C-alpha cells in the first residue's frame, strides 16, 4: 500500500514537473524564435533604421568673397548672422522652470525673479528685451499653429548667445545665414557696387558682374549624433570643407573716389545742376581710378540695387568735345595741318542747313588750332569740306563711340551711333561737333585718354584682379590696345587742347601744372522730347606735358550753361588732388605753342 | 608485449606505498595509472600522447593569466571607448568655442574695415583738408655755394 502511494506521488510529481517543463520550454522557444527573427532575419533593416535615425548631414556655410579697392580697403564682405524663428505649438506648451539654485542651466528667470506666466506670454517676456522688440508685438507673433514663424532676421552672434542663455531651446531656434556688410555707408560707390538679394546672389553692379568669383562653395559633414547633438567618434563618413568665395580687387582708389564725390556734390550745389558725373582714368593703363555721380544710394540698399550707377550707364550727346575726334581725323588723314588758315564767320549754310557758333562774332582769322580753341561749329564744318562721311564715321568708331568699353557692367550702354549711310543732311555735319550721336562718360574719357596716350586707345578696366573660390584667376580681360592716330598727330592735338584749356585758366587751373582739355556744351532733349536741357562737360588730361590722368566732369543743366565755366573748376579741383596724391612732378614751361590766330 | 607491461604496471600500482619503497632501492619513473592511459578509450589515448607534463601550479597560473588578459582587454576597450566619447564632447565644446571666436573676429574685422573706409570723411569732419599746392624746386643750373640756385613754385 505504501509503495503504491509513493509511486503515485512520485508519478504525480514527475508529471507536474514535466508539464511545467514543457510550458517553460515553449516560452523559451518563443523567445528564441523572436530573438532569432530580430537578430538574424530583420537584423539589417533594423540596424539601418537605427543608424538612419541618428545620422545627420550638417551643412557647413561658406562665406561670399570680399570686394576691395586697389589699395586693399575692404568695400564689401559677408558676416554670419542668425534668423530667429519660433515653434508656435511648442510655445503654447511652454512652462517656465523656476530657478532654485541647483538648476541654473535650465531655469528661467527675468531679472532674478520668476516668470509668472505661461505659454506665449512667458516666452515673450523672456525674449523681448534680448531681441529688442516690443513684448506685445512679440507675443502676437508667438500665437498660432505654425511650426516655423520668423521672429527676427540678421541677428548678430552676440544677441544669439544671449538668447542661448535664456534656455529656450525647443521653443526658439535659429538658422545660420549670411549678411553682406558694406563699408560704403555714405553711398560713394553705391550704384557701382550694387547689392545682393536674400539668397546672397549678386543682383546689381559689381556684385552681379563678378558673382561667379564671389560665390563660395558650401560644405557638409555626415555623422551619427548622440542625444545632445555631439558627434559619435568614428562615425564621420563624408565631409567636405566649405570654401569661401574669391576676392575681387577693383581699380578704384577709395580716397580718390571720396574726393571726386565730394567735389561733384559741391559742384551740384554751387551750379544748381540736376546731376553730375565724374570719371578719373589713368592714361597709361586705362584703369578707372574713380567713377562717381551725385546719387547717394548706399551700397546694398534697395536704391543701389534698383538704380544702375548713373556714372556708368548715362549716355548723352557730348557736344563740343566731339570736335576732338573731327580734328584728329582731319590731321590723321592729312586733310589739314594745325596751322592752316581759315576765315570763320558766325554762321554758315550748307545744303540748306544753317549752322552757327555759340557766340556771335564777326569774321575771325583762325587757324585749325584756333577753331578748336574757340570751339567754333562753323569753323569745324568749314574745315571738313573734304572729310568724307565714311571717314567721319570711321574715326568716331575708332575712338570707341558706339563700341563696348569692355567693362561689361550691368546696364552699361554703348551709346548710339547711326551708320553713316543713314545720316541725313543735318546729322552728317552735326556729328562733326558732337551732336547726332550719344556716348557715355567713360567713352568720352577714353577719347581724350587715347590722345593723351600718344594715339593708342587702351582698354578700360574697373576690375584689377579677381579670383574665385578655388583660387582660379578670373580677372576679366580688357579690350586690346589699338592705335587710332599717329604719335605726331596726338601731340599736335595735345597742344591744341592746351590752348583750349588755357582760356579757362581763371576758373580752371592747377598751380604748377599745365592742363590740356576740351569743354563741351550740348543741348539735349528732356522728357518731353524738346531740346530744353543742356549738358556742360569738361574733359582734361593732366599734366599736359606728360599726361598721367584724364578727368571728366559732366553736369546736367548747370546755371552758367557752358561746360568750361561750370565743369571746368571741378576738373581743376579733382586734378589738384590727384597731382598731390600721386606725387606727380610739376610741369615744365610751355614751348612752341601752335598759333591759333593769324 | 603490452599485456605484460600492463600487468607489470598493475603489479606496481597495487603494492602499497610503504612496501614499494622497501622493495625498490633504485629510482623509478612514476608512471600514470592504467585507467588513465587505457588505449581503448579516447581519453586514455589522449593521455598517452600528451601526458601529464605540466604541473598543477603552472596550469593554474596559465589559466589565471588568460582570465586576467581577457578581463584587461575588455576593461581597456571600455576605458578607451569612454575616453573617446569624453573627447567627442570636448571636441564639440571646442568647436563651438572656435565658432564663437571666429564670429567675434569677423565682427571686429568688419568694424575695422568700416572705420578704415570712413577715414577720409571723418578727417574732413575734423577740419583736415587734403593738400593742395605742390612745391617743386627746379635744380637746373644750380651751383652749390653760389646764389645761382633757381627755384620755381
Amino acid at each position: 500500500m505504501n509503495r503504491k502511494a509513493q509511486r503515485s506521488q512520485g508519478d504525480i510529481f514527475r508529471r507536474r514537473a514535466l508539464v511545467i517543463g514543457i510550458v517553460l520550454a515553449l516560452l523559451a522557444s518563443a523567445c528564441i524564435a523572436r530573438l532569432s527573427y530580430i537578430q538574424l532575419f530583420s537584423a539589417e533593416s533594423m540596424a539601418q533604421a537605427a543608424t538612419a535615425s541618428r545620422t545627420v548631414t550638417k551643412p557647413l556655410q561658406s562665406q561670399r568673397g570680399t570686394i576691395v579697392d586697389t589699395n586693399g580697403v575692404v568695400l564689401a564682405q559677408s558676416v554670419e548672422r542668425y534668423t530667429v524663428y519660433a515653434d508656435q505649438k511648442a510655445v503654447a506648451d511652454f512652462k517656465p522652470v523656476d530657478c532654485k539654485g541647483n538648476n541654473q542651466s535650465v531655469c528661467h528667470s527675468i531679472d532674478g525673479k520668476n516668470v509668472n506666466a505661461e505659454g506665449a506670454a512667458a516666452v515673450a517676456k523672456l525674449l523681448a528685451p534680448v531681441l529688442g522688440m516690443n513684448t506685445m508685438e512679440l507675443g502676437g507673433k508667438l500665437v498660432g499653429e505654425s511650426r516655423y514663424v520668423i521672429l527676427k532676421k540678421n541677428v548678430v552672434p552676440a544677441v544669439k548667445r544671449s538668447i542661448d542663455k535664456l534656455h529656450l531651446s525647443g521653443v526658439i531656434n535659429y538658422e545660420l545665414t549670411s549678411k553682406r556688410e558694406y563699408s560704403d555707408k555714405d553711398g560713394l560707390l553705391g550704384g557701382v557696387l550694387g547689392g545682393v538679394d536674400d539668397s546672397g546672389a549678386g543682383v546689381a553692379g559689381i556684385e552681379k558682374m563678378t558673382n561667379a568669383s564671389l560665390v563660395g562653395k558650401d560644405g557638409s559633414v555626415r555623422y551619427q549624433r548622440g542625444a545632445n547633438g555631439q558627434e559619435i567618434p568614428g562615425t564621420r563618413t563624408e565631409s567636405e570643407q566649405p570654401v569661401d568665395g574669391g576676392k575681387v580687387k577693383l581699380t578704384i582708389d577709395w580716397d580718390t573716389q571720396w574726393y571726386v564725390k565730394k567735389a561733384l556734390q559741391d559742384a551740384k550745389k554751387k551750379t544748381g545742376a540736376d546731376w553730375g558725373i565724374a570719371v578719373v582714368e589713368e592714361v597709361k593703363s586705362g584703369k578707372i581710378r574713380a567713377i562717381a555721380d551725385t546719387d547717394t544710394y548706399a551700397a546694398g540698399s534697395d536704391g543701389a540695387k534698383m538704380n544702375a550707377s548713373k556714372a556708368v550707364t548715362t549716355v548723352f550727346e557730348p557736344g563740343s568735345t566731339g570736335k576732338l575726334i573731327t580734328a584728329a581725323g582731319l590731321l590723321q588723314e592729312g586733310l589739314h595741318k594745325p596751322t592752316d588758315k581759315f576765315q570763320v564767320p558766325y554762321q554758315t549754310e550748307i545744303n540748306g542747313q544753317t549752322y552757327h557758333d555759340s557766340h556771335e562774332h564777326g569774321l575771325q582769322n583762325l587757324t585749325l588750332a584756333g577753331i578748336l580753341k574757340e570751339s567754333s561749329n562753323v569753323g569745324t564744318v568749314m574745315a571738313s569740306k573734304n572729310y568724307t562721311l565714311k571717314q567721319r564715321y570711321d574715326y568716331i568708331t575708332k575712338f570707341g563711340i558706339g563700341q563696348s568699353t569692355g567693362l561689361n557692367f550691368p546696364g552699361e550702354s554703348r551709346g548710339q551711333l547711326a551708320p553713316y549711310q543713314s545720316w541725313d543732311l543735318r546729322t552728317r555735319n552735326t556729328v562733326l561737333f558732337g551732336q547726332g550721336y550719344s556716348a557715355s562718360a567713360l567713352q568720352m574719357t577714353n577719347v581724350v585718354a587715347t590722345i593723351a596716350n600718344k594715339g593708342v586707345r587702351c582698354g578700360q578696366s574697373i576690375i584689377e584682379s579677381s579670383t574665385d573660390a578655388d583660387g582660379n584667376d578670373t580677372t576679366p580681360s580688357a579690350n586690346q590696345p589699338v592705335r587710332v592716330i599717329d604719335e605726331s598727330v596726338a601731340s599736335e592735338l595735345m597742344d591744341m587742347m592746351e590752348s583750349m584749356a588755357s582760356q579757362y585758366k581763371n576758373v580752371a587751373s592747377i598751380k604748377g601744372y599745365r592742363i590740356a582739355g576740351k569743354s563741351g556744351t550740348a543741348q539735349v532733349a528732356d522728357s518731353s522730347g524738346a531740346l530744353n536741357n543742356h549738358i556742360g562737360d569738361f574733359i582734361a588730361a593732366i599734366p599736359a606735358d606728360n599726361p598721367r590722368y584724364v578727368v571728366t566732369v559732366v553736369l546736367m543743366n548747370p546755371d552758367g550753361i557752358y561746360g568750361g565755366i561750370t565743369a571746368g573748376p571741378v576738373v581743376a579741383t579733382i586734378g589738384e588732388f590727384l597731382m598731390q596724391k600721386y606725387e606727380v612732378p610739376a610741369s615744365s614751361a610751355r614751348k612752341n605753342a601752335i598759333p591759333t590766330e593769324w | 608485449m603490452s599485456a605484460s607491461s600492463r600487468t607489470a604496471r598493475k603489479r606496481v600500482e597495487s603494492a602499497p606505498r610503504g612496501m614499494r619503497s622497501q622493495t625498490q632501492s633504485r629510482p623509478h619513473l612514476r608512471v600514470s595509472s592504467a585507467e588513465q592511459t587505457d588505449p581503448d578509450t579516447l581519453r586514455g589515448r589522449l593521455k598517452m600522447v600528451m601526458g601529464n607534463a605540466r604541473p598543477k601550479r603552472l596550469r593554474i597560473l596559465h589559466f589565471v593569466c588568460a582570465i586576467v588578459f581577457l578581463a584587461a582587454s575588455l576593461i581597456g576597450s571600455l576605458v578607451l571607448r569612454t575616453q573617446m566619447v569624453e573627447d567627442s564632447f570636448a571636441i564639440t565644446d571646442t568647436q563651438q568655442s572656435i565658432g564663437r571666436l571666429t564670429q567675434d573676429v569677423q565682427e571686429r574685422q568688419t568694424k575695422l574695415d568700416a572705420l578704415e573706409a570712413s577715414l577720409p570723411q571723418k578727417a574732413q569732419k575734423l577740419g583736415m583738408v587734403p593738400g593742395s599746392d605742390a612745391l617743386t624746386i627746379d635744380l637746373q643750373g644750380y651751383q652749390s655755394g653760389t646764389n645761382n640756385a633757381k627755384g620755381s613754385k
Side-chain angles (χ1 to χ4, degrees):
Chain A
M1 186 60 175
N2 254 0
R3 274 176 68 190
K4 211 181 183 179
Q6 279 180 346
R7 206 187 325 144
S8 62
Q9 270 186 354
D11 279 343
I12 289 168
F13 176 72
R14 249 180 270 126
R15 221 175 288 137
R16 285 190 187 149
L18 196 63
V19 165
I20 289 174
I22 288 173
V23 168
L24 286 175
L26 280 174
L27 282 173
S29 47
C31 283
I32 290 173
R34 178 78 186 143
L35 190 68
S36 55
Y37 174 71
I38 292 175
Q39 279 294 109
L40 295 177
F41 296 116
S42 56
E44 253 189 72
S45 57
M46 288 263 161
Q48 270 175 7
T51 313
S53 73
R54 59 173 187 266
T55 301
V56 65
T57 308
K58 185 166 100 165
L60 301 172
Q61 193 187 66
S62 64
Q63 298 285 68
R64 191 172 166 84
T66 54
I67 303 179
V68 297
D69 88 335
T70 195
N71 295 319
V73 175
V74 174
L75 301 175
Q77 61 190 315
S78 286
V79 290
E80 285 187 345
R81 291 282 182 268
Y82 294 92
T83 302
V84 178
Y85 64 91
D87 181 343
Q88 286 176 332
K89 286 204 170 121
V91 167
D93 298 331
F94 174 73
K95 283 189 194 15
V97 171
D98 293 338
C99 287
K100 277 193 283 274
N102 59 343
N103 60 353
Q104 287 302 317
S105 62
V106 291
C107 69
H108 307 103
S109 67
I110 300 178
D111 291 338
K113 291 193 279 259
N114 293 333
V115 182
N116 296 325
E118 278 188 6
V123 176
K125 273 202 207 173
L126 283 166
L127 199 52
V130 174
L131 279 184
M133 290 169 70
N134 184 309
T135 315
M136 298 291 188
E137 233 183 275
L138 187 57
K141 282 196 187 175
L142 291 169
V143 174
E145 292 291 313
S146 166
R147 290 228 159 242
Y148 180 92
V149 166
I150 292 182
L151 298 178
K152 193 166 183 197
K153 285 190 171 187
N154 288 329
V155 170
V156 298
V159 170
K160 180 249 183 191
R161 281 173 223 162
S162 316
I163 298 178
D164 279 342
K165 292 205 186 86
L166 293 176
H167 312 133
L168 286 172
S169 57
V171 170
I172 303 289
N173 283 304
Y174 345 79
E175 271 169 0
L176 183 65
T177 59
S178 195
K179 180 167 177 268
R180 199 78 174 144
E181 280 277 332
Y182 295 96
S183 320
D184 173 22
K185 308 266 185 271
D186 300 317
L188 296 177
L189 263 184
V192 173
L193 286 175
V196 295
D197 64 9
D198 283 341
S199 69
V203 291
I206 300 275
E207 294 273 14
K208 184 174 178 188
M209 212 162 114
T210 56
N211 196 49
S213 308
L214 289 173
V215 291
K217 300 209 293 212
D218 285 345
S220 68
V221 61
R222 200 187 161 93
Y223 56 85
Q224 296 172 24
R225 60 188 283 277
N228 288 335
Q230 64 278 42
E231 187 181 323
I232 299 176
T235 61
R236 179 174 285 214
T237 49
E238 305 153 13
S239 82
E240 224 183 283
Q241 284 300 323
V243 183
D244 287 347
K247 188 150 109 162
V248 169
K249 191 174 195 190
L250 303 179
T251 57
I252 307 274
D253 185 319
W254 184 247
D255 291 337
T256 310
Q257 178 77 14
W258 168 78
Y259 194 86
V260 167
K261 180 97 178 187
K262 185 169 84 82
L264 254 190
Q265 282 174 323
D266 290 344
K268 180 176 171 209
K269 249 184 281 181
K270 187 155 158 228
T271 61
D274 293 349
W275 48 257
I277 295 175
V279 179
V280 174
E281 181 181 325
E282 200 175 75
V283 167
K284 296 212 182 358
S285 59
K287 291 186 183 165
I288 307 295
R289 291 297 180 206
I291 177 156
D293 51 41
T294 44
D295 291 336
T296 48
Y297 303 118
S301 67
D302 290 337
K305 285 189 265 191
M306 291 198 296
N307 301 300
S309 164
K310 211 186 232 117
V312 181
T313 57
T314 309
V315 292
F316 49 89
E317 288 193 339
S320 310
T321 38
K323 292 193 182 93
L324 289 172
I325 303 176
T326 311
L330 292 173
L331 293 174
Q332 179 72 12
E333 293 294 318
L335 292 168
H336 284 293
K337 288 195 294 297
T339 45
D340 283 359
K341 302 185 168 90
F342 298 87
Q343 279 191 312
V344 180
Y346 164 66
Q347 158 172 310
T348 187
E349 192 179 310
I350 296 180
N351 291 336
Q353 297 290 323
T354 318
Y355 309 98
H356 56 79
D357 286 343
S358 51
H359 292 118
E360 267 218 44
H361 60 84
L363 205 61
Q364 286 181 322
N365 294 337
L366 297 173
T367 61
L368 185 61
I371 289 174
L372 206 64
K373 176 179 169 191
E374 298 293 320
S375 203
S376 163
N377 299 339
V378 174
T380 314
V381 171
M382 280 173 62
S384 310
K385 233 187 318 180
N386 296 323
Y387 193 34
T388 69
L389 295 190
K390 183 170 187 304
Q391 283 171 329
R392 296 174 197 195
Y393 181 82
D394 279 347
Y395 277 97
I396 294 175
T397 48
K398 270 196 227 170
F399 269 98
I401 309 294
Q403 316 289 307
S404 161
T405 56
L407 251 56
N408 297 322
F409 192 87
E412 195 185 0
S413 162
R414 292 185 182 198
Q416 267 205 335
L417 175 64
Y420 66 92
Q421 295 91 341
S422 68
W423 286 351
D424 61 28
L425 288 176
R426 186 161 185 86
T427 308
R428 62 181 60 178
N429 290 318
T430 58
V431 297
L432 295 169
F433 43 89
Q435 291 187 303
Y437 60 85
S438 63
S440 66
L442 280 169
Q443 286 170 324
M444 290 315 295
T445 310
N446 215 12
V447 169
V448 175
T450 306
I451 299 171
N453 195 27
K454 303 193 165 81
V456 174
R457 189 180 107 223
C458 282
Q460 291 167 310
S461 57
I462 199 168
I463 296 184
E464 187 153 332
S465 68
S466 72
T467 50
D468 69 0
D470 295 323
N472 303 324
D473 183 17
T474 51
T475 310
S477 53
N479 288 340
Q480 286 295 316
V482 168
R483 178 163 283 283
V484 178
I485 51 178
D486 294 338
E487 206 173 312
S488 53
V489 171
S491 61
E492 284 169 349
L493 280 167
M494 285 294 289
D495 190 289
M496 299 204 283
M497 286 205 290
E498 205 177 331
S499 303
M500 192 271 129
S502 64
Q503 55 179 327
Y504 291 108
K505 62 174 176 287
N506 290 335
V507 292
S509 67
I510 306 172
K511 268 194 256 186
Y513 299 93
R514 288 158 42 194
I515 306 181
K518 184 81 190 70
S519 68
T521 314
Q523 280 183 302
V524 291
D526 63 7
S527 45
S528 69
L531 289 176
N532 289 329
N533 286 342
H534 54 270
I535 279 189
D537 57 31
F538 196 94
I539 315 179
I542 314 169
D545 47 339
N546 188 9
R548 289 280 299 269
Y549 296 96
V550 172
V551 182
T552 304
V553 173
V554 180
L555 294 169
M556 167 69 102
N557 288 335
D559 308 335
I561 303 182
Y562 298 104
I565 54 175
T566 53
V570 192
V571 172
T573 314
I574 296 173
E576 193 176 57
F577 175 82
L578 289 170
M579 296 298 106
Q580 183 73 16
K581 180 175 163 64
Y582 293 108
E583 297 173 349
V584 179
S587 302
S588 43
R590 190 181 183 191
K591 299 196 237 324
N592 304 328
I594 297 171
T596 55
E597 288 172 342
W598 54 278
Chain B
M1 171 71 184
S2 51
S4 57
S5 58
R6 210 189 320 143
T7 44
R9 265 177 274 161
K10 240 192 184 133
R11 234 182 290 135
V12 172
E13 277 297 313
S14 49
R17 210 191 280 179
M19 278 198 69
R20 220 189 302 152
S21 55
Q22 280 173 11
T23 49
Q24 290 147 33
S25 50
R26 322 179 252 148
H28 254 263
L29 286 171
R30 281 211 14 238
V31 294
S32 36
S33 73
E35 274 174 30
Q36 283 184 312
T37 52
D38 187 350
D40 292 332
T41 65
L42 177 64
R43 192 190 165 141
R45 272 196 282 248
L46 219 55
K47 256 301 188 264
M48 262 188 350
V49 170
M50 286 170 48
N52 246 358
R54 279 183 254 164
K56 252 200 181 116
R57 233 173 289 136
L58 271 174
R59 236 190 305 160
I60 292 173
L61 189 64
H62 173 87
F63 177 73
V64 165
C65 276
I67 296 293
V68 165
F69 185 72
L70 261 172
S73 59
L74 240 93
I75 293 173
S77 75
L78 191 69
V79 166
L80 224 68
R81 197 75 189 163
T82 312
Q83 190 61 39
M84 274 167 80
V85 172
E86 228 179 81
D87 287 346
S88 176
F89 275 90
I91 285 174
T92 312
D93 278 343
T94 311
Q95 276 175 347
Q96 283 179 352
S97 168
I98 290 175
R100 271 195 296 270
L101 291 171
T102 311
Q103 280 176 347
D104 284 344
V105 166
Q106 214 183 51
E107 286 291 305
R108 306 244 165 90
Q109 187 65 39
T110 312
K111 281 207 190 99
L112 182 64
D113 292 330
L115 286 173
E116 195 185 348
S118 68
L119 191 59
Q121 185 66 21
K122 288 221 170 86
Q124 196 204 5
K125 276 210 191 97
L126 285 174
M128 297 186 216
V129 287
S132 50
D133 292 3
L135 175 67
T136 315
I137 300 176
D138 182 4
L139 289 180
Q140 288 189 17
Y142 173 73
Q143 285 160 40
S144 66
T146 68
N147 288 340
N148 287 350
K150 274 193 221 153
S152 65
K153 256 197 193 165

